[in-house]
Amino acid sequence: MTAPDRTVAGPGTKAGLDPKAGPGPASGPDPIAGTSPITGAIPVADPDSTTPGLDSDLLASPPVSPRRAAWRRFLKYRLALPGLIVLTLVVLGAVLGPLLWQVDPNAVDPAQYRNPPSPDHPLGTDSAGRDVLARLIVGGRVSLAVGLAAAVTATFVGILLGALAGYARGWVDSFLSRVCEVMQSFPTIIVIITFAAFFGPSLVTMIIIIGLMEWTGGFRVTRGLTMSLREQDSVVAVVGLGARNSRVLFRHIVPAVLGPATVIATGMISGVIMTEATLSFLGLGVPPPSSSWGTMLNQAQSLRILESMPWMWLPPGIAIAITVLSVNFIGEGLRNAVDPRQGQR
Amino acid sequence: MTSTSETTPVLSVRDLTCEFSTAGGTVRAVNGVSFDLAPGETLGVVGESGSGKSITMLAILGLLAANGRITGGSVTLDGVELVGASEKRLQSVRGREISMIFQDPMTALNPVMTIAAQIDESLKRHSRGLDRRGRQSRIIELLDQVRIPNAVRRARQYPHEFSGGMRQRAMIAMAMANRPRILLADEPTTALDVTVQAQILDLLHDVQVETGTALVMITHDLGVIAEVADRALVMYAGRVVETGTAAELFAEPRHPYTRGLLASRPTLDDTDGGDLDAIPGQPPNPARLPSGCSFRPRCDLAQGRTECAEAPELAVLGEGRAAACHFHTELALSERPA
Amino acid sequence: MVSFVLRRLAISVVTLIGISMALFALTRFIPGDPVSMYFNPLTFEGDREAAVEAVRARLGLNDPIPVQYIAWVREIFNGNMGFSMITGRPVTELIADRLPATIYLMGVSTVIAIVLGITGGIIAALRKNTIVDYATLLGALGLVSVPSFFIALLAIYIFGLKLGWLPTAGINVPNGGWGDAIRHLILPAGIMGISGSVGYIRWARSSMLDVLDQDYMVTARSKGLSRPRVVLQHGLRNALIPLVTILSMSIPSLFGGSVVIEQLFAWPGTGRMAIDAISNRDYPVVMGFVMITTILVLVCNLLADITYALVDPRIRL
């Protein structure tokens, strides 16, 4: 009998509690089944007693192209499309906003000290008399950019290491899997705080650290996929023909991993946006003069601002919530699209 | 049915129909099944996967999955209707009047409870007269009865410490805890090794003789029927297609499906190299039954005959003997296949 | 069992060594020489260079890095994690002062998270595909979409400042008694607990759904047990076996969460201490905090593994 397996694919993954990582506990192998002495060997269920519902797939839908089918499954999660629309609006706002609202976000005006919303400043002004709306727009750019950059970095690192582990196997795999395990059981934010403490807050440091800390989701999926792909005839054949490893990697493994990787990266974007906001809120993230939504919220640590000047901290907080929520909606839809079984649970 | 005192059935099922609502629409998994069970008798139910045998049994106990329900017919226990009975009433029947044994003892026992605790639950529920000590000794007695050696020690163990055969014995002990009058056994030997299968069948037979319980034995194996059953039903696509005593079914099958099943059985006197005459085709998908006679696509009698476009009634051929085929007389005339 | 525990222990020790090395390496990258900062060039009289050099030699800062690392580890084993550069107090003492408050907060919020999460998850599972289920899942998704510090700000704004129902800072007031302590606890522990419950909700739901499909659930019903009884007795027990594992998985986010919540509610715990230390560049305190966190996380994980093996009768190691 094996121990409760907390290695890479086992139940002891962070996925269960971490909204950033993977499809949640539903997809992971059940710890009971994983350690059960009774799996395999025996025909699992009486086919007679299963409900005939399983056959409904055969009845449904005439053949459609895989892409169309995936899009349909995406839409089947009813909040996916609204999420996509809202996120598009948020991104458009951040990108095109400065064209529509041509107020300098960094223009200090002591005369406009902490003014409530007015026609000139629809969201009021902050402690330096800067326009909150303009800062919200540029802050969104920073938050979204950090989210995207760090998530892509982390996913890329995860795919690379996962493919390496799954392809090379042996000690490389055991080593990377151990490291992954350790990373998962260690609080990311503590590491980032430590780095921020020693090197001072910096945008690039933060992206790199998040990228290096959050690769475990991509790693697990890629490793598993690579291992199973490696056994497939087509891959075995090209390896047998003497194909170079890099060729096998990029022609066979990377394409297969792209779908799941997109899901993971999407899930991570929302997590990273929140991490960035938290760090900036604590004063350890985006350093001045640039500002993100989290930085704007940092001012609310002052009770006076919190109590009497909600226009300074409510808008960035709501912006974070709306953005992250719509990314999460899209993530759920993508999960359906990539893994059809998920939607039925 | 005739109600002479000797044949008053303990369980009577009439026109039982069960439907499941699925994403693909409503599926009728059991379609007008009727049978009687006399006290102490053994009734075999034969059919392939998906023929509705297990669902019939679950429906009798009111244990259909959440998306399934009984849409017609009746189930009476000693003349008292169970279909539509309150959940409370059904609970007092389950495990006391009617017990059930499941196919796979690997998954049918709770992995985190000891064998004793799982039997004890049933005793606590139904044998209210027994105190703790009384239940304890009853558990040991039951385990002895199903020939589990070292019963005292074994009772404290968990299912994973038992072999498959031993688990099925424990399962039988659990089912017999309150001396039920009816035991529904759903392919109790299918998941077991061949050598163990015979032991479990013997055990069931012995238990039945000792306690006088009636037994419904579900199986897809005609050999099991030949060994244990007094009478048998043959089910196909949710319907009963033939009934009779085991001997009658073997000697003179009156439905092409029964005939096919018999032909596909390996026998000891099968000396010509064992090329089994299996029934062609697959069991039908209950969600998409062929129109008319469900067996038509696989039937060597149908061959495009127009009668088969209509579903045949179950024609009574004699006392306890019936078949649902338009051409059952033809079968009576033809010889039993080798 | 023994070999399993030893293996987990070995992994933990290796992890600890790795992290302590990384941490030690970090201190070598600190911009600016702490010793030269110690001697203020404006007020120091005499040969400052020589004084700095003398102190460096005395502190062993001129030794090779590995020697310094060993010396540092030896000191930690002796219970010496250095001294705060601000207050001069031993780091061990500072942490010992602060740790109980953090563990108190994490403990209470974990209990809240588990109770809320498991109840919610199981209700959602039993009402699968109903409005209750969808509302629970949507609520969970909503909760993970809002940073807990923003929830905390809103809660302080509404319950503390606008309605004035609850205190928003500190762990208690002197001689406040139990009632006061609980009132101080409600917002921080409640917010951490609600945020933490999301993971448990999702896990409990899917775990329960798996279990509800199991054959032994039908067996239990066939014995005449009522459905609630079957769900509680057979379902819950099987569904909750991995709880310890899930609990151990929640520990990282618990530590992360406590840093933020302690900062916001002026909670006198280690998280707040760490943030203060960072803004003061009080490196020994930061290092002590990270070391203690690491050790606690590793110990918790180890305990979870062992407990899991003890809870599930099928695992005989």
Side-chain angles (χ1 to χ4, degrees):
Chain A
M1 198 74 325
T2 51
D5 185 7
R6 304 187 75 251
T7 53
V8 177
T13 61
K14 209 170 169 184
L17 285 156
D18 191 343
K20 292 170 272 183
S27 68
D30 175 31
I32 300 174
T35 54
S36 162
I38 59 178
T39 41
I42 297 297
V44 178
D46 175 14
D48 209 5
S49 68
T50 51
T51 54
L54 291 173
D55 297 316
S56 59
D57 279 353
L58 299 172
L59 294 173
S61 61
V64 286
S65 77
R67 193 166 298 206
R68 283 285 296 267
W71 176 245
R72 265 187 208 177
R73 288 196 301 268
F74 176 77
L75 292 182
K76 216 178 157 195
Y77 184 75
R78 267 174 278 173
L79 293 166
L81 191 60
L84 194 59
I85 293 169
V86 171
L87 185 67
T88 312
L89 291 177
V90 170
V91 173
L92 283 179
V95 175
L96 303 176
L99 299 176
L100 302 172
W101 184 248
Q102 293 178 335
V103 174
D104 181 358
N106 294 319
V108 176
D109 181 358
Q112 296 285 325
Y113 175 77
R114 293 180 180 178
N115 272 358
S118 64
D120 276 352
H121 302 284
L123 292 177
T125 56
D126 70 3
S127 308
R130 296 171 296 194
D131 182 65
V132 173
L133 178 57
R135 294 190 66 74
L136 191 68
I137 291 168
V138 291
R141 290 180 157 190
V142 174
S143 288
L144 291 171
V146 171
L148 196 65
V152 169
T153 312
T155 311
F156 183 74
V157 172
I159 290 181
L160 217 62
L161 293 179
L164 181 65
Y167 198 75
R169 297 193 279 196
W171 69 266
V172 178
D173 177 38
S174 345
F175 175 74
L176 286 173
S177 297
R178 275 300 99 69
V179 174
C180 173
E181 205 179 319
V182 170
M183 298 283 247
Q184 282 181 328
S185 64
F186 203 77
T188 312
I189 197 157
I190 304 278
V191 178
I192 298 174
I193 285 175
T194 315
F195 270 84
F198 284 106
F199 298 111
S202 134
L203 211 62
V204 177
T205 320
M206 188 163 59
I207 293 173
I208 292 175
I209 295 172
I210 294 177
L212 291 181
M213 285 301 294
E214 299 286 348
W215 52 269
T216 52
F219 172 82
R220 290 203 328 269
V221 169
T222 312
R223 174 181 173 274
L225 269 173
T226 310
M227 286 207 162
S228 63
L229 275 175
R230 215 178 180 264
E231 307 302 321
Q232 269 174 21
D233 293 345
S234 58
V235 176
V236 172
V238 291
V239 172
L241 289 171
R244 287 210 326 275
N245 282 346
S246 60
R247 186 185 149 83
V248 175
L249 186 67
F250 285 102
R251 290 295 291 274
H252 295 269
I253 290 169
V254 169
V257 162
L258 275 181
T262 316
V263 174
I264 288 175
T266 312
M268 214 150 25
I269 289 175
S270 59
V272 171
I273 290 178
M274 296 226 292
T275 307
E276 182 275 320
T278 307
L279 289 171
S280 299
F281 172 72
L282 292 173
L284 299 171
V286 178
S290 43
S291 95
S292 73
W293 289 334
T295 323
M296 294 174 77
L297 277 156
N298 177 268
Q299 308 165 45
Q301 285 198 33
S302 141
L303 277 187
R304 242 181 71 73
I305 292 179
L306 184 62
E307 180 162 21
S308 344
M309 289 136 212
W311 64 86
M312 282 169 60
W313 59 272
L314 266 180
I318 293 170
I320 293 171
I322 288 178
T323 308
V324 174
L325 199 61
S326 51
V327 174
N328 281 338
F329 286 157
I330 296 169
E332 293 280 316
L334 279 179
R335 200 166 295 159
N336 280 358
V338 170
D339 181 4
R341 282 164 305 157
Q342 200 73 40
Q344 295 175 1
R345 247 284 138 92
Chain B
M1 291 272 143
T2 50
S3 54
T4 61
S5 64
E6 203 179 273
T7 57
T8 302
V10 55
L11 181 75
S12 184
V13 175
R14 282 292 164 277
D15 293 323
L16 187 68
T17 301
C18 303
E19 290 178 352
F20 287 81
S21 52
T22 70
T26 304
V27 173
R28 183 170 287 190
V30 175
N31 195 347
V33 168
S34 301
F35 64 87
D36 286 319
L37 185 67
E41 87 163 322
T42 302
L43 175 70
V45 179
V46 207
E48 289 164 303
S49 299
S51 61
K53 346 180 265 285
S54 297
I55 292 175
T56 306
M57 298 308 134
L58 288 172
I60 289 172
L61 284 175
L63 287 177
L64 291 180
N67 63 336
R69 61 197 188 93
I70 297 173
T71 51
S74 88
V75 175
T76 52
L77 176 72
D78 291 327
V80 179
E81 182 62 54
L82 293 186
V83 173
S86 71
E87 175 65 20
K88 216 175 157 192
R89 166 95 185 97
L90 286 171
Q91 281 169 19
S92 71
V93 169
R94 294 178 201 139
R96 184 164 73 180
E97 311 284 349
I98 308 177
S99 278
M100 192 152 176
I101 302 170
F102 295 90
Q103 173 175 356
D104 190 349
M106 300 294 164
T107 56
L109 289 167
N110 188 333
V112 299
M113 286 172 76
T114 61
I115 298 296
Q118 297 191 51
I119 300 175
D120 195 38
E121 261 188 339
S122 191
L123 289 173
K124 241 191 257 175
R125 172 73 181 78
H126 297 297
S127 296
R128 295 267 160 84
L130 291 175
D131 61 358
R132 226 181 95 84
R133 188 163 297 175
R135 295 199 307 269
Q136 209 55 44
S137 59
R138 174 75 179 137
I139 290 167
I140 304 303
E141 182 189 322
L142 281 162
L143 293 181
D144 281 337
Q145 193 181 8
V146 296
R147 324 230 200 301
I148 290 179
N150 297 323
V152 179
R153 186 173 63 86
R154 294 295 241 166
R156 283 196 299 267
Q157 291 184 336
Y158 290 91
H160 72 273
E161 295 170 88
F162 278 52
S163 67
M166 281 296 155
R167 282 188 216 194
Q168 198 58 297
R169 284 169 195 267
M171 191 78 211
I172 294 170
M174 200 161 85
M176 297 309 296
N178 299 295
R179 301 185 180 85
R181 286 187 301 152
I182 300 168
L183 189 56
L184 308 177
D186 186 358
E187 306 215 23
T189 59
T190 306
L192 303 174
D193 290 343
V194 182
T195 46
V196 182
Q197 286 186 1
Q199 294 171 15
I200 295 294
L201 286 181
D202 286 347
L203 175 66
L204 274 172
H205 181 73
D206 293 349
V207 166
Q208 196 187 4
V209 169
E210 285 164 37
T211 61
T213 182
L215 175 66
V216 178
M217 171 72 83
I218 299 179
T219 180
H220 59 256
D221 182 356
L222 277 173
V224 172
I225 298 293
E227 222 164 296
V228 302
D230 304 317
R231 290 188 307 124
L233 307 176
V234 180
M235 285 187 69
Y236 188 81
R239 292 174 184 271
V240 175
V241 294
E242 186 167 3
T243 67
T245 65
E248 284 166 344
L249 289 179
F250 275 77
E252 194 186 42
R254 300 291 288 275
H255 192 282
Y257 177 62
T258 317
R259 198 178 63 170
L261 283 178
L262 282 168
S264 63
R265 263 185 82 220
T267 49
L268 286 176
D269 50 311
D270 192 356
T271 47
D272 57 348
D275 187 19
L276 299 181
D277 189 4
I279 306 172
Q282 291 292 312
N285 177 349
R288 279 185 297 181
L289 289 181
S291 64
C293 176
S294 307
F295 190 58
R296 183 167 57 153
R298 302 170 74 187
C299 183
D300 53 359
L301 288 181
Q303 307 290 356
R305 287 155 97 168
T306 49
E307 291 93 329
C308 299
E310 206 143 310
E313 292 293 309
L314 190 63
V316 178
L317 309 173
E319 178 69 43
R321 188 89 176 93
C325 178
H326 297 294
F327 311 113
H328 58 81
T329 44
E330 255 174 61
L331 280 164
L333 300 174
S334 70
E335 231 182 296
R336 188 198 152 177
Chain C
M1 183 81 195
V2 173
S3 78
F4 164 70
V5 172
L6 286 180
R7 208 177 72 222
R8 304 300 317 181
L9 197 63
I11 293 175
S12 302
V13 169
V14 171
T15 309
L16 191 58
I17 293 174
I19 288 174
S20 67
M21 281 176 154
L23 202 56
F24 185 76
L26 269 184
T27 64
R28 304 295 107 184
F29 290 116
I30 298 172
D33 180 359
V35 178
S36 61
M37 271 157 53
Y38 189 73
F39 297 100
N40 188 331
L42 297 178
T43 56
F44 190 79
E45 292 172 7
D47 186 353
R48 185 165 164 271
E49 292 292 311
V52 167
E53 204 42 48
V55 173
R56 287 188 66 87
R58 187 158 56 82
L59 293 177
L61 289 173
N62 294 333
D63 293 344
I65 299 284
V67 175
Q68 291 188 35
Y69 173 70
I70 303 276
W72 179 67
V73 170
R74 191 180 299 138
E75 285 305 307
I76 289 181
F77 268 105
N78 291 334
N80 175 13
M81 295 181 123
F83 297 85
S84 163
M85 292 163 72
I86 306 297
T87 62
R89 286 180 67 199
V91 172
T92 352
E93 207 178 293
L94 277 174
I95 290 176
D97 273 0
R98 295 295 197 105
L99 202 54
T102 295
I103 290 175
Y104 170 53
L105 180 63
M106 290 202 289
V108 174
S109 59
T110 300
V111 171
I112 295 174
I114 289 178
V115 171
L116 274 181
I118 289 179
T119 319
I122 283 170
I123 290 173
L126 294 177
R127 300 265 176 279
K128 189 192 169 195
N129 291 342
T130 65
I131 188 86
V132 179
D133 185 23
Y134 295 142
T136 311
L137 288 179
L138 193 61
L141 196 62
L143 270 180
V144 295
S145 301
V146 186
S148 60
F149 73 84
F150 187 59
I151 300 180
L153 286 177
L154 287 174
I156 293 175
Y157 180 68
I158 296 169
F159 297 109
L161 301 177
K162 289 291 159 192
L163 299 171
W165 289 353
L166 292 165
T168 59
I171 195 166
N172 56 14
V173 294
N175 307 319
W178 273 101
D180 175 69
I182 290 174
R183 277 162 47 80
H184 275 87
L185 192 60
I186 291 177
L187 283 182
I191 290 162
M192 261 179 89
I194 290 174
S195 299
S197 70
V198 172
Y200 293 100
I201 289 179
R202 293 177 166 178
W203 163 76
R205 178 178 178 275
S206 76
S207 186
M208 197 68 195
L209 283 179
D210 280 349
V211 167
L212 288 176
D213 273 352
Q214 297 293 317
D215 288 355
Y216 55 76
M217 297 296 280
V218 183
T219 308
R221 295 252 283 143
S222 81
K223 285 191 271 192
L225 305 179
S226 68
R227 195 174 139 80
R229 204 194 144 104
V230 170
V231 168
L232 291 178
Q233 182 105 12
H234 292 257
L236 209 54
R237 203 157 148 198
N238 278 288
L240 295 189
I241 280 183
L243 177 64
V244 268
T245 308
I246 305 298
L247 191 63
S248 78
M249 280 154 47
S250 80
I251 286 167
S253 61
L254 209 55
F255 273 97
S258 75
V259 172
V260 176
I261 295 292
E262 286 183 11
Q263 175 69 8
L264 267 166
F265 288 94
W267 194 264
T270 48
R272 186 145 184 270
M273 176 191 80
I275 297 289
D276 288 347
I278 289 168
S279 40
N280 292 331
R281 311 255 147 192
D282 195 348
Y283 300 119
V285 177
V286 176
M287 285 176 72
F289 170 73
V290 176
M291 280 312 287
I292 287 292
T293 308
T294 309
I295 291 169
L296 284 177
V297 166
L298 293 175
V299 167
C300 290
N301 284 339
L302 197 60
L303 284 178
D305 284 341
I306 295 170
T307 320
Y308 187 87
L310 292 178
V311 171
D312 191 333
R314 285 164 301 183
I315 299 173
R316 286 287 172 269
L317 303 146

